[in-house]
Amino acid sequence: MATPQTTYLRSHQQALAEKIVKQQYARHPEIWLAHGEQGRNYSVRDAGYHLVYLAEAIEADDPLLFNEYLAWVTVLFANLNFPNDTLSTTLDCARQVLSESLPAAEKEAALALLDAATAELDNAPTTLPSFLNGSEPLDELARQFLAALLQADRHTASRLILDAVKKEFSIKEIYLQVFQRTQREIGRLWQTNQIGVAEEHFCTAATQMIMSQLYPYIFTGERKDRRAVIACVGGELHEIGARMVADFLEMSGWDTYFLGANTPPRTILQTVEQRQADLLALSATMTFHVSEVTDIIRNLRADNNAATHVLVGGYPFNLSPDLWRKVGADGYAADAATAVAAADKLITNSQLIPR
């Protein structure tokens, strides 16, 4: 079955977003006009995000990607104290604009997905439970670590982690139970309007700095003749998950080349060729970057890099079990721990069965 396309929706995103907000303001001027020009610009930006997520879900033929995005927005808007019907009104305006504007080839898929997602809004929660709920052995350490970060106390945060290493907690335990879970908790605190962007950025930067202090414990294992390039696709700024994958592969003996956040596609492909990589691990946290993952994999294959296996991961792939197949990857990993097993399996299977 042919992949649904969203050519018009993508190329006219800004104009469509403007039309949606114009209708939204016309329906409830008493609410929105009070926010001034800046408020209107934010509304257009948000409507544009809705359209991009809609396009990604259509192209992936996976409504869950759009449904989960709207559930995330529901929590965000509720904690910003927006009127309860803000999102449903915006989506209703979007439906009218898309019905009038989209060509027939795109309209049917877009409206069907929009209608189905809108119907689920009444069941969407407006609060989120903490990720540090005591279900993991190191949750107390994670809570102390997070508290230090939120107080902008990097020294205490660093000391907590280094003391835990001295107590013989494994690096992998600290990565998965402390760094990974506190990053998710930081995201929840931002989404629920309990911290701001500056605090979120500080906590992430401090965590990356503390991770680097653990490198003497990481680059110590027996080496394998396996090379991996790890990158976040262009525009993707969330790099800690990908960095954890790189570190876990290093601990497993791989020779890794970590490119970090917002890596241009051509740079990724050039690096794979230069490093003669056995594995390319691509990370995308934001759903609207899934199409770029698809493009990179397609171009990798077109460049005759058939010997390089592609492993993908990140939030949208955790949501949709089959998304990794749709983007053309060879495998998927939910986190750094499973990434090592998946990468080793890809290499082992390729040695048994020639590609």
Side-chain angles (χ1 to χ4, degrees), residues 316-338:
F317 297 100
N318 291 343
L319 283 180
S320 177
D322 292 323
L323 186 58
W324 65 272
R325 290 188 175 91
K326 295 175 181 177
V327 301
D330 298 302
Y332 145 79
D335 56 26
T338 57

Side-chain angles (χ1 to χ4, degrees), residues 54-71:
L54 178 64
E56 291 287 352
I58 292 169
E59 292 177 0
D61 194 22
D62 194 335
L64 186 60
L65 296 178
F66 191 56
N67 292 356
E68 287 297 319
Y69 163 70
L70 293 184

Side-chain angles (χ1 to χ4, degrees), residues 269-308:
L269 297 174
Q270 290 172 343
T271 306
V272 167
E273 184 173 357
Q274 292 166 358
R275 303 291 298 178
Q276 295 184 319
D278 302 295
L279 178 77
L280 170 61
L282 289 173
S283 175
T285 301
M286 309 304 291
T287 299
F288 52 75
H289 291 141
V290 169
S291 57
E292 185 152 356
V293 174
T294 304
D295 290 341
I296 291 172
I297 296 173
R298 183 187 302 115
N299 289 327
L300 178 75
R301 305 305 186 209
D303 288 347
N304 258 341
N305 287 302
T308 301

Side-chain angles (χ1 to χ4, degrees), residues 6 11 26 29 31-32 67 70-72 97 108 126 138 171 183 188 209 213 225 267-268 289 312 324 342:
T6 58
S11 62
I31 295 176
W32 298 108
N67 292 356
L70 293 184
W72 182 89
V97 169
E108 182 179 358
T126 56
L138 296 187
I171 301 299
Q183 280 298 299
R188 185 189 74 86
M209 181 272 290
Q213 294 178 329
D225 185 22
T267 298
I268 294 174
H289 291 141
V312 295
W324 65 272

Side-chain angles (χ1 to χ4, degrees), residues 94-135:
R95 192 191 194 289
Q96 183 172 341
V97 169
L98 296 183
S99 179
E100 296 170 351
S101 305
L102 289 183
E106 296 183 33
K107 184 186 304 185
E108 182 179 358
L111 296 186
L113 198 155
L114 193 59
D115 289 345
T118 303
E120 294 290 323
L121 279 184
D122 290 340
N123 301 320
T126 56
T127 59
L128 293 175
S130 171
F131 287 98
L132 305 179
N133 54 16
S135 62

Side-chain angles (χ1 to χ4, degrees), residues 12 21 41 56 82 84 92 109 160 170 183 221-222 225 229 235 239 241 263 268 278 306 317 342:
H12 293 75
V21 172
N41 291 338
E56 291 287 352
F82 284 5
N84 292 336
D92 189 46
L160 284 168
S170 75
Q183 280 298 299
E222 182 179 347
D225 185 22
V229 171
E239 67 173 331
T263 311
I268 294 174
D278 302 295
F317 297 100

Side-chain angles (χ1 to χ4, degrees), residues 45-260:
R45 178 203 61 186
D46 291 344
Y49 285 153
H50 303 339
L51 296 178
V52 172
Y53 276 89
L54 178 64
E56 291 287 352
I58 292 169
E59 292 177 0
D61 194 22
D62 194 335
L64 186 60
L65 296 178
F66 191 56
N67 292 356
E68 287 297 319
Y69 163 70
L70 293 184
W72 182 89
V73 174
T74 298
V75 173
L76 178 67
F77 282 8
N79 286 275
L80 289 172
N81 296 318
F82 284 5
N84 292 336
D85 63 347
T86 298
L87 184 55
S88 59
T89 299
T90 303
L91 294 177
D92 189 46
C93 293
R95 192 191 194 289
Q96 183 172 341
V97 169
L98 296 183
S99 179
E100 296 170 351
S101 305
L102 289 183
E106 296 183 33
K107 184 186 304 185
E108 182 179 358
L111 296 186
L113 198 155
L114 193 59
D115 289 345
T118 303
E120 294 290 323
L121 279 184
D122 290 340
N123 301 320
T126 56
T127 59
L128 293 175
S130 171
F131 287 98
L132 305 179
N133 54 16
S135 62
E136 295 291 341
L138 296 187
D139 268 7
E140 180 56 34
L141 173 61
R143 282 192 285 264
Q144 294 175 9
F145 177 72
L146 177 59
L149 292 180
L150 292 176
Q151 293 168 11
D153 188 353
R154 287 178 297 183
H155 300 292
T156 296
S158 174
R159 187 176 66 251
L160 284 168
I161 298 303
L162 294 177
D163 286 348
V165 173
K166 292 176 183 178
K167 293 176 183 177
E168 299 188 348
F169 287 109
S170 75
I171 301 299
K172 292 182 179 180
E173 287 177 314
I174 291 171
Y175 268 51
L176 294 176
Q177 295 187 37
V178 179
F179 296 152
Q180 180 172 275
R181 288 167 70 80
T182 55
Q183 280 298 299
R184 290 173 176 171
E185 181 67 3
I186 289 164
R188 185 189 74 86
L189 293 174
W190 179 85
Q191 184 183 0
T192 54
N193 201 32
Q194 297 181 61
I195 63 172
V197 172
E199 292 167 295
E200 181 199 15
H201 286 190
F202 173 86
C203 291
T204 299
T207 299
Q208 289 177 303
M209 181 272 290
I210 294 167
M211 287 171 67
S212 68
Q213 294 178 329
L214 300 179
Y215 276 11
Y217 302 93
I218 291 174
F219 297 98
T220 57
E222 182 179 347
R223 312 312 295 165
K224 299 176 181 176
D225 185 22
R226 294 179 178 179
R227 296 172 298 279
V229 171
I230 302 94
C232 303
V233 297
E236 182 61 68
L237 301 178
H238 300 81
E239 67 173 331
I240 283 189
R243 184 171 176 177
M244 290 176 64
V245 169
D247 291 351
F248 268 56
L249 286 170
E250 279 287 346
M251 285 186 276
S252 185
W254 284 67
D255 176 17
T256 65
Y257 202 83
F258 178 58
L259 296 177

